[in-house]
Amino acid sequence: MHTPHVDSPPRPPTHRSAARAAGLLALCSALLIALVATKWHPLFTLDGDIARTTHSWAVDDPDTTQAFRILTDWIWDPWTMRILCAVVVVWLVWRHSAWWTAGWLAVTTALGTLLQQSLKAAVGRPRPTWPDPVDSAHYAAFPSGHALTATVVCGLLLWLLHHHGADRLLWRTALTVAVLSVVGVGLTRVWLGVHWPSDVIGGWLLGAMLVALAVTVHRRLRP
């Protein structure tokens, strides 16, 4: 019986899944960017209604507001996430001599920062303004840098744990912390009145897109 020659093995299912996810997330991100850039009225109305409601809660509940400020300014701050990423980069090089993966992690995180800063400048969406603000932030609103950075860093680190076969307890703990961090940082940004809800959704979508693209690149190009 003749066996046909195969030039190369089929790509792993995770390869194709990550590429498809990246494409879908890119499409959703582009749609949201277009709606924000064109100031689509239904989206802006919904953003305003949610922002006004959460801001009134923030003013009426100063203890929760202070706790959220600590979380968003120290625990889930983009610089905290970048430092965590830098620690993992050093650990990958020092303990495993994994130069390629360490560089991949650092470059993807840097691209996340570049992407969010570029979109902030291009879209130029103003942040919410309040007569009685509970917090302040700089630069344009869309997308949320906190949400994007947390999604990128947590997503990449979770994938690395899964890729290297982390045990069940470590994986579940990391997954729980990552989900709480990504969701939590987005909610605190809206609660503190420094972002519209669609800014946070944009950060989540763009961050997830970058993670999916990075996983695709890692699978295809890692020596």
Side-chain angles (χ1 to χ4, degrees), residues 79-145:
W79 279 109
T80 304
M81 292 291 169
R82 291 173 193 136
I83 291 170
L84 172 62
C85 180
V87 169
V88 175
V89 166
V90 171
W91 179 78
L92 285 169
V93 172
W94 179 47
R95 293 296 301 271
H96 298 280
S97 297
W99 288 93
W100 198 95
T101 298
W104 164 85
L105 179 59
V107 168
T108 306
T109 305
L111 284 175
T113 302
L114 179 63
L115 176 63
Q116 56 112 344
Q117 292 296 343
S118 299
L119 282 174
K120 283 180 183 291
V123 176
R125 186 184 196 183
R127 290 181 185 268
T129 55
W130 311 103
D132 49 353
V134 297
D135 202 355
S136 62
H138 304 292
Y139 310 113
F142 185 91
S144 166

Side-chain angles (χ1 to χ4, degrees), residues 105-192:
L105 179 59
V107 168
T108 306
T109 305
L111 284 175
T113 302
L114 179 63
L115 176 63
Q116 56 112 344
Q117 292 296 343
S118 299
L119 282 174
K120 283 180 183 291
V123 176
R125 186 184 196 183
R127 290 181 185 268
T129 55
W130 311 103
D132 49 353
V134 297
D135 202 355
S136 62
H138 304 292
Y139 310 113
F142 185 91
S144 166
H146 281 68
L148 191 153
T149 305
T151 303
V152 169
V153 172
C154 291
L156 293 176
L157 297 185
L158 275 179
W159 184 80
L160 282 174
L161 283 174
H162 176 73
H163 181 66
H164 290 286
D167 64 67
R168 182 176 298 179
L169 178 59
L170 176 59
W171 167 252
R172 288 181 175 177
T173 302
L175 180 62
T176 301
V177 171
V179 170
L180 286 175
S181 297
V182 172
V183 174
V185 73
L187 296 180
T188 59
R189 301 310 283 168
V190 177
W191 178 280
L192 294 171

